[in-house]
Amino acid sequence: MPSHPFSVVALDVGGTKIAGGLVTYPEKGARPDVSRPVSVPTDAARGGAAVLDDMVEVARTLIAQATCPVIGIGADTAGVVDPETGSIAYANQIMPGWTGRAVARRLASEFDLSAANMGDVHAHALGEARWGAACGLHSCLMVGIGTGLGGAFVLDGKVLRGFRGAAGHIGHTLHHLACDLPCACGGASHAETVTSGTALCARYQGKSFGDELDPSCMGAEIARRAETGDERAAEAIEFAGDALGQAIGSWCNILDPEAVVLSGSVVNAGPRWRYALEQGFQRQALTPLSDTRIIEGALGASAPLIGAAENLLDSIDASAKE
Ligand SMILES: [Zn+2]
């Protein structure tokens, strides 16, 4: 471990934006700070090479702003990330030309610094597990509910990445309420089609998952309408909350996490959604799991940046032991 204080340049790359910041470790055992937040559009349609070039430029800007030594670059990105190399093992058509990009290798060679890359949902979970809502817990299942539905399982402070880096795709597990609905992944009947923010909006608007939606009437607006007597809004919110709760109960029956951590924009859907989620969870969770705590993430947008920085520190530790 390098001597304190030190900073890690952290980059968080999603389909819509490249976010970055300096994650600074002031002293041993102290929670890291995130400073110098920066965000530029991903504009993924330009192709993977252009996105990677922009990551390099964001990193360059952050390195120039650092006030203590930068020990490396920790990235997290959309797509399935190879756990060994930090390259993109698979990305869908939303990120054309992203598959195969050697993200960690490019960042390391560009700046002659250590670099690491991991999946964005994995990084989010690692951040919450090391320094956020699940800090100090035996294990947690992180569930991210936004446009889609993602997840990650953390045990003893380590994210379960899977053999190919693809572990945790809970949005693409079977859901009995999703009967034959086509999913964004190409499959059907998946949890994402009934539990995600997109699914909630589609249901309220009387459309199917995958249909074009009216952007003026999305999550927060539906939650507001539900509280002012719009019965269809209330029904859509209760359905989505209950469907998610049942799915979480089912995943907990496999993993038995100490706690479930919720994150993503849909967490703000209000008490009606949350109550339905708890009820759905209790219907599916086995009796010994019924006291599993379901809590909200504590780090917000800093979670993936801190997780990516932690992943870099882990990789530096691992190479020091080799
Ligand atoms: Zn799917």
Side-chain angles (χ1 to χ4, degrees):
M1 184 66 69
S3 55
H4 295 76
F6 62 85
S7 293
V8 174
V9 167
L11 304 170
D12 172 36
V13 181
T16 55
K17 69 176 193 298
I18 300 172
L22 288 168
V23 179
T24 299
Y25 291 77
E27 57 189 273
K28 192 170 168 54
R31 179 170 157 166
D33 305 316
V34 178
S35 63
R36 305 280 182 175
V38 58
S39 175
V40 298
T42 307
D43 197 4
R46 295 172 303 152
V51 174
L52 188 48
D53 285 347
D54 282 358
M55 288 178 74
V56 168
E57 291 316 309
V58 172
R60 198 183 310 283
T61 303
L62 289 166
I63 289 170
Q65 293 174 336
T67 54
C68 53
V70 171
I71 60 145
I73 304 163
D76 69 84
T77 61
V80 173
V81 176
D82 185 312
E84 294 296 320
T85 64
S87 298
I88 310 301
Y90 172 78
N92 64 18
Q93 70 286 358
I94 296 167
M95 298 278 278
W98 193 233
T99 301
R101 292 283 152 202
V103 174
R105 196 174 69 201
R106 168 78 187 279
L107 292 168
S109 66
E110 195 77 39
F111 299 104
D112 197 20
L113 286 168
S114 298
N117 184 34
M118 75 190 313
D120 49 2
V121 184
H122 289 171
H124 196 121
L126 186 60
E128 290 287 358
R130 295 273 176 91
W131 295 104
C135 184
L137 300 189
H138 164 273
S139 52
C140 77
L141 173 66
M142 207 281 296
V143 179
I145 322 107
T147 312
L149 178 71
F153 180 63
V154 185
L155 175 64
D156 290 333
K158 290 198 168 59
V159 180
L160 176 71
R161 300 200 204 186
F163 181 64
R164 298 164 187 81
H169 278 89
I170 54 178
H172 306 289
T173 55
L174 268 180
H175 199 299
H176 70 105
L177 294 172
C179 18
D180 290 333
L181 278 171
C183 183
C185 70
S189 307
H190 286 175
E192 183 166 294
T193 68
V194 286
T195 61
S196 63
T198 311
L200 164 65
C201 296
R203 188 171 181 90
Y204 176 66
Q205 295 183 20
K207 294 176 176 167
S208 292
F209 184 83
D211 288 351
E212 195 153 325
L213 299 174
D214 173 4
S216 68
C217 187
M218 303 301 267
E221 173 62 16
I222 299 170
R224 191 191 66 74
R225 291 186 189 188
E227 296 313 310
T228 53
D230 183 334
E231 286 182 16
R232 207 167 73 176
E235 190 278 338
I237 282 186
E238 286 168 9
F239 178 86
D242 172 71
L244 181 63
Q246 291 198 53
I248 290 174
S250 182
W251 302 321
C252 284
N253 291 345
I254 301 172
L255 297 166
D256 184 14
E258 183 171 354
V260 175
V261 178
L262 304 175
S263 71
S265 57
V266 179
V267 175
N268 301 316
R272 187 184 296 271
W273 176 80
R274 186 56 196 259
Y275 180 76
L277 187 156
E278 295 280 354
Q279 299 295 108
F281 174 82
Q282 292 300 337
R283 284 218 300 288
Q284 293 296 340
L286 293 169
T287 302
L289 305 179
S290 63
D291 64 347
T292 307
R293 286 185 297 139
I294 301 176
I295 55 183
E296 291 182 17
L299 300 176
S302 293
L305 297 173
I306 292 174
E310 290 286 319
N311 183 46
L312 174 82
L313 297 182
D314 288 353
S315 76
I316 291 174
D317 274 355
S319 39
K321 284 176 188 149
E322 279 172 4

